Amino acid sequence: PLIKEILTAMGVRVIECEGYEADDVLGTLSKMCSDTQNECHILTGDRDSLQLVNDSVTVHLATTKETIIYTPDKFIEDYGFEPIYLIDLKALMGDSSDNIPGVTGVGQKTATTLITKWKTIENLYENLENAGLTKGVFTKLDNGRESAKESKWLATIVLDAPIDTTLDNCMFKERNDSLLAQLLTELEMFKMLSKFGLEPAETLPLQEEAEVKTAEISCKSEELTENISEKLLTADKIFYMLSDDKISVCDFESEYECTVYTSCNKNIILNVLKSDLPKITFSAKPHYHVALKNDTELKNLSFDCEIAAYLLDPASSEYNIEKLCFRYDSPYFRQAEEHADIVSLVKLYDVLKKEINQQGLDYLMYEVEQPLTEVLASMEHTGIQVNADGVKAFGEQLKDEIEGIQQQIYFMCGTEFNISSPKQLGDVLYDMGIPLKKKNKNGFSTSAEILEELRDSHPIIELVLRYRKLTKLSSTYVDGLLKTVSDDGRIHTVFKQTETRTGRISSTEPNLQNIPVRTELGREMRRFFTASDGKTFLDADYSQIELRIVAHICDDPVMINGFETGADIHASTASQVFGLPQELVTADMRSAAKAVNFGIIYGIGAFSLSKDIGVSVFEAKKYIKNYFKNFPNIEKFMDDTVEKAKNEGFVTTMFGRKRYVPELTASNKNMQAAGRRIAMNTPIQGSAADIIKIAMVKVYKRLKQEVPEARLILQVHDELIVECDFKDADKAAEILSAEMQSAAELKVPLTADVNRGESWYDAKG
């Protein structure tokens, strides 16, 4: 927005269209020029725009080395066909940078040959039988018909975006020197000022409107003494904030007259925290930490404005009082200077509380998210014990294996190089004759996806993949863990409650939720997380919670019956998809059905599914078609959810959590496709996130009342871990299982079996 303001002040016309990409605006303007016999020059770094080249339109393609001027003749010289057919070329060869799949197995050379001869994919497919193709190319094209058609749609730039195409609308205006000076001065861009030959302006406040709105505020500051504290604690509620061991309490005498009482006295701070008075604050988790460190409680938290802001807008990258005041049209009292946040919080609270109620978020606010803040603070405070010596020994073992693999790689390629350098690795593999295809600005791409496809081409690929896996395990999960072990021998990870759009809790410093579990080597890491002496771990994990939510939400009788009878849901799905009795379902069929089961949840397409399970796009499409044929309620739910999201702008979980999906209204096809996947998945994944949070609150409260020595210490996705004394294990296990399984009422049973062990590895079972 600031760049647009500066350009406008410079006299440059800014042409934009909500829901459309810049490519589409350029395309529409280029067509306007062609239609009116005007000359058009497009300066861009994006080769997609080359499809717009014609007798009226020239593209100046900026590259890292030079700017190439593309006219129709120059394009034909480089490509061998007319510019408009670039769309068809991409339809066949794809473009990973734009998520255009193309036809699997068809590269640039084959695609160029085909388009040079047949021009369009429509013409090619009409003549496919008589095109003189090899059997392999014919099969690839035949299987990739739908993908080619979809890819052409994705690659085509819009030429009729709803913008004003009057030529006068594109012309430069006169530069507004006073506005330009004002903007550049406010942004402290003084070198730019001198380039424009302008002098710094006398700046006005950027938030002038808010300043005027709150001009009458009068704020006094006083020391919070025990006497004043007792007086304040007799009010009906209290507004406070705690930062850097200093508490601030705001007391409004009238609408624009207040006093902020502050104190660094620990006893006074703790008296405020443990009082029974309803409390309103912003970001309460650190306050729970203060209480826990001093062996007391933060009681009766009435409203946490940060949590409310997150529920109202989970897509925001940052939550702070000043920004929220401007967003919700609540006064920000900047005149209160250092106390501006706490003073402004009083009025902001009224706005946020009203919004929470109007949007039907009361249950999530008061029964789930706000109580969860205390749970997460307790988990962070308690931490989890780590066997640091064991981690170090494991790290040495990894380093020995890494060094051995490194020497094998050097021997195979006959030279030493930095295996971790994508450019050096790409050059070495290419020189060995390994068929690397995709290039980027740094050379041949050696991404994990590409190397996986080349796994059978040479034994060195397997070694490189193993090397990468081990070095990541060593640097991230060995060295990374050791850096975060505290003096008490425990890791106190930080749980983030307001970061994900789905409602999931994330973990950082370190991220314990990302410890690899799919490989035996990754699972070994769990051995080093151990219970304290005399204690044990209880580990409970929801079984297939997302599929159970699908069965519940979609009210699918086949899936509901499978869960009620305890059937193997993936084998049951395979039976439906492949049309076979369950006893004839093979392991590969079950694996494919499992991929479909979970893929459907995430709105997977045939192209991605084919990659996941190693079949053609045609076969993957057939699997999905059969799936929806046998589970029609699920397809209807997906379609209805997307349609509702288009109309309302958001989707909701079972418990009312909202996620806005602006991607659905974008003109970019990839963004639209992403929006569809988000709309399909959020009610399921978001509901699973809500259920685990509800379970955490219920487990925490019951343990606190009935087994006070037991501690909920870790949450990883759908898994909870409790640490308790051996003598309390039976009771704590009963609570853990009961509260997890009763966290939500579904049409199918929620199951969470509890395992025990003295390490996370043992307890995971």
Side-chain angles (χ1 to χ4, degrees):
L2 290 172
I3 290 173
K4 293 175 188 175
E5 286 186 52
I6 292 170
L7 288 171
T8 301
M10 288 168 59
V12 177
R13 294 278 188 168
V14 176
I15 302 173
E16 55 189 331
C17 186
E18 187 173 352
Y20 287 79
E21 281 202 328
D23 276 352
D24 301 326
V25 175
L26 288 173
T28 303
L29 290 172
S30 73
K31 186 174 186 303
M32 176 268 288
C33 289
S34 298
D35 291 347
T36 55
Q37 286 78 51
N38 278 289
E39 192 175 336
C40 172
H41 292 261
I42 299 173
L43 175 60
T44 179
D46 189 350
R47 286 184 178 271
D48 289 350
S49 291
L50 295 180
Q51 65 184 263
L52 303 174
V53 170
N54 58 37
D55 290 338
S56 297
V57 180
T58 301
V59 169
H60 299 246
L61 185 71
T63 71
T64 52
K65 294 181 181 178
E66 60 180 334
T67 297
I68 307 169
I69 300 176
Y70 274 102
T71 61
D73 289 343
K74 172 62 176 171
F75 185 93
I76 293 170
E77 179 186 329
D78 282 6
Y79 285 83
F81 50 80
E82 291 80 2
I84 190 63
Y85 303 128
L86 178 64
I87 304 168
D88 298 271
L89 180 73
K90 283 204 169 192
L92 293 182
M93 63 178 278
D95 186 347
S96 59
S97 65
D98 282 335
N99 289 321
I100 298 173
V103 175
T104 303
V106 174
Q108 183 172 354
K109 186 176 179 182
T110 301
T112 301
T113 301
L114 291 170
I115 296 305
T116 301
K117 181 175 182 180
W118 300 102
K119 306 302 183 186
T120 69
I121 61 168
E122 290 81 7
N123 191 31
L124 169 63
Y125 277 108
E126 281 177 15
N127 296 280
L128 198 61
E129 299 285 347
N130 305 310
L133 303 172
T134 65
K135 183 179 179 182
V137 173
F138 177 87
T139 303
K140 290 171 185 175
L141 289 170
D142 194 32
N143 289 340
R145 284 175 186 267
E146 289 302 315
S147 184
K149 183 179 177 183
E150 181 185 358
S151 296
K152 182 168 182 176
W153 177 70
L154 286 168
T156 304
I157 291 175
V158 170
L159 301 179
D160 57 355
I163 59 173
D164 185 349
T165 54
T166 307
L167 195 57
D168 287 346
N169 188 51
C170 305
M171 305 298 286
F172 277 86
K173 295 183 292 183
E174 187 177 348
R175 194 173 86 184
N176 186 333
D177 283 353
S178 61
L179 178 58
L180 185 58
Q182 174 74 38
L183 289 168
L184 295 176
T185 303
E186 287 172 353
L187 296 167
E188 300 180 4
M189 298 173 70
F190 298 113
K191 286 187 179 180
M192 290 296 292
L193 275 168
S194 64
K195 283 186 178 182
F196 284 113
L198 300 173
E199 295 294 325
E202 291 186 17
T203 59
L204 295 170
L206 282 173
Q207 302 296 343
E208 184 178 7
E209 181 183 345
E211 291 285 348
V212 173
K213 186 174 182 180
T214 64
E216 300 174 39
I217 188 69
S218 172
C219 178
K220 296 179 292 183
S221 181
E222 292 186 19
E223 180 72 16
L224 180 60
T225 64
E226 289 189 8
N227 288 338
I228 295 174
S229 174
E230 289 178 12
K231 173 191 165 189
L232 290 173
L233 296 181
T234 60
D236 60 340
K237 59 181 176 288
I238 187 172
F239 292 86
Y240 85 96
M241 291 181 69
L242 187 57
S243 177
D244 298 326
D245 298 323
K246 180 171 83 172
I247 197 166
S248 302
V249 181
C250 186
D251 182 30
F252 264 76
E253 289 90 27
S254 65
E255 187 176 4
Y256 289 110
E257 187 176 9
C258 69
T259 302
V260 176
Y261 298 95
T262 63
S263 177
C264 293
N265 183 297
K266 184 192 287 188
N267 289 333
I268 290 177
I269 292 172
L270 296 179
N271 283 339
V272 172
L273 296 182
K274 69 185 180 183
S275 70
D276 291 323
L277 188 68
K279 300 171 189 69
I280 296 97
T281 190
F282 191 89
S283 189
K285 192 168 66 166
H287 312 167
Y288 281 111
H289 275 294
V290 171
L292 287 164
K293 286 175 185 175
N294 291 279
D295 199 26
T296 188
E297 288 186 278
L298 166 57
K299 289 184 180 177
N300 205 1
L301 177 67
S302 172
F303 201 87
D304 185 335
C305 290
E306 183 186 37
I307 296 299
Y310 169 64
L311 280 171
L312 292 168
D313 181 18
S316 178
S317 59
E318 181 186 11
Y319 302 95
N320 67 58
I321 291 172
E322 184 173 5
K323 286 187 176 180
L324 290 170
C325 284
F326 294 135
R327 166 154 193 183
Y328 291 102
D329 197 27
S330 182
Y332 186 74
F333 297 108
R334 191 175 284 107
Q335 298 89 338
E337 297 178 348
E338 63 178 304
H339 303 307
D341 276 2
I342 180 64
V343 173
S344 304
L345 187 71
V346 178
K347 304 232 179 250
L348 179 63
Y349 156 74
D350 289 330
V351 177
L352 294 178
K353 186 178 182 183
K354 184 178 179 182
E355 283 286 321
I356 287 288
N357 179 260
Q358 288 182 343
Q359 294 199 30
L361 295 168
D362 288 44
Y363 175 75
L364 284 171
M365 178 69 191
Y366 302 112
E367 302 298 326
V368 182
E369 293 290 355
Q370 205 160 265
L372 183 68
T373 305
E374 178 182 355
V375 179
L376 297 179
S378 172
M379 290 164 64
E380 292 174 359
H381 178 76
T382 305
I384 184 168
Q385 182 173 276
V386 175
N387 177 359
D389 290 337
V391 176
K392 288 175 186 173
F394 182 63
E396 291 302 318
Q397 176 190 329
L398 285 178
K399 284 174 184 173
D400 288 343
E401 188 175 352
I402 289 167
E403 190 172 328
I405 292 173
Q406 188 178 42
Q407 293 307 316
Q408 290 182 65
I409 292 172
Y410 291 163
F411 178 78
M412 279 188 180
C413 61
T415 184
E416 292 190 8
F417 64 100
N418 182 359
I419 303 169
S420 298
S421 164
K423 185 178 189 313
Q424 291 184 36
L425 177 64
D427 290 342
V428 168
L429 295 181
Y430 183 76
D431 289 343
M432 292 176 69
I434 292 170
L436 296 172
K437 295 178 182 178
K438 293 183 180 178
K439 290 191 76 172
N440 53 39
K441 62 182 180 181
N442 296 318
F444 290 99
S445 175
T446 57
S447 67
E449 182 183 12
I450 287 173
L451 292 187
E452 285 288 348
E453 290 178 0
L454 295 170
R455 191 186 282 270
D456 297 330
S457 66
H458 195 286
I460 198 172
I461 301 296
E462 186 70 42
L463 289 173
V464 169
L465 289 170
R466 178 77 173 170
Y467 177 87
R468 284 183 174 177
K469 192 173 292 182
L470 294 181
T471 52
K472 181 175 182 180
L473 197 60
S474 177
S475 62
T476 306
Y477 300 110
V478 174
D479 300 340
L481 279 181
L482 289 173
K483 289 175 186 174
T484 59
V485 179
S486 300
D487 293 340
D488 61 359
R490 301 175 81 89
I491 282 178
H492 300 269
T493 188
V494 176
F495 292 100
K496 299 285 189 179
Q497 192 177 353
T498 59
E499 275 203 350
T500 68
R501 298 184 182 190
T502 59
R504 286 274 187 190
I505 302 164
S506 60
S507 159
T508 185
E509 301 174 42
N511 184 352
L512 295 181
Q513 298 185 334
N514 263 10
I515 289 179
V517 295
R518 294 191 178 184
T519 63
E520 182 56 37
L521 205 57
R523 287 192 290 271
E524 282 291 310
M525 290 297 301
R526 294 190 172 203
R527 291 189 188 277
F528 308 118
F529 294 87
T530 58
S532 303
D533 291 342
K535 294 181 183 291
T536 187
F537 283 157
L538 306 175
D539 184 299
D541 197 343
Y542 278 123
S543 170
Q544 299 172 335
I545 186 171
E546 291 183 336
L547 290 180
R548 293 172 191 270
I549 290 169
V550 169
H552 170 81
I553 293 178
C554 301
D555 197 19
D556 188 88
V558 176
M559 201 171 273
I560 289 173
N561 181 64
F563 281 120
E564 285 180 339
T565 58
D568 179 336
I569 199 67
H570 299 311
S572 174
T573 301
S575 172
Q576 300 288 327
V577 170
F578 293 102
L580 291 170
Q582 194 163 321
E583 57 269 20
L584 296 181
V585 168
T586 65
D588 286 344
M589 288 177 179
R590 183 186 182 279
S591 180
K594 182 177 180 180
V596 175
N597 263 331
F598 287 109
I600 293 297
I601 293 172
Y602 291 92
I604 199 169
F607 177 73
S608 297
L609 181 62
S610 70
K611 291 263 187 183
D612 289 348
I613 61 177
V615 299
S616 69
V617 175
F618 178 77
E619 286 178 288
K621 188 175 182 182
K622 187 169 69 173
Y623 292 164
I624 294 173
K625 186 176 180 181
N626 286 347
Y627 183 94
F628 284 135
K629 181 181 177 183
N630 286 282
F631 302 103
N633 286 17
I634 295 177
E635 184 174 29
K636 184 177 186 304
F637 165 75
M638 297 292 188
D639 291 341
D640 290 350
T641 301
V642 171
E643 195 58 37
K644 186 179 179 186
K646 284 180 181 176
N647 294 332
E648 297 182 353
F650 61 87
V651 287
T652 59
T653 68
M654 289 167 51
F655 303 90
R657 185 184 302 276
K658 291 183 179 180
R659 180 173 180 182
Y660 294 89
V661 197
E663 294 88 347
L664 284 172
T665 58
S667 68
N668 179 279
K669 286 87 174 181
N670 289 319
M671 291 287 282
Q672 285 180 23
R676 286 181 60 84
R677 290 192 295 271
I678 290 168
M680 292 175 187
N681 170 249
T682 295
I684 300 159
Q685 191 183 15
S687 295
D690 290 341
I691 289 172
I692 194 73
K693 286 180 172 181
I694 294 166
M696 290 171 74
V697 172
K698 288 161 71 73
V699 168
Y700 176 82
K701 285 182 177 178
R702 275 200 64 190
L703 289 178
K704 192 174 180 181
Q705 291 172 353
E706 301 174 40
V707 195
E709 295 301 314
R711 294 283 187 273
L712 179 60
I713 61 169
L714 197 59
Q715 179 267 338
V716 178
H717 307 307
D718 304 321
E719 175 184 3
L720 296 183
I721 298 176
V722 169
E723 184 179 31
C724 66
D725 292 338
F726 285 117
K727 63 180 176 61
D728 296 325
D730 288 344
K731 180 63 177 175
E734 177 194 328
I735 290 171
L736 181 60
S737 176
E739 296 305 330
M740 286 185 73
Q741 292 181 163
S742 65
E745 290 188 17
L746 304 182
K747 294 166 186 169
V748 297
L750 267 177
T751 60
D753 295 328
V754 180
N755 296 303
R756 305 183 192 186
E758 292 180 41
S759 75
W760 188 4
Y761 183 92
D762 297 330
K764 183 64 180 168

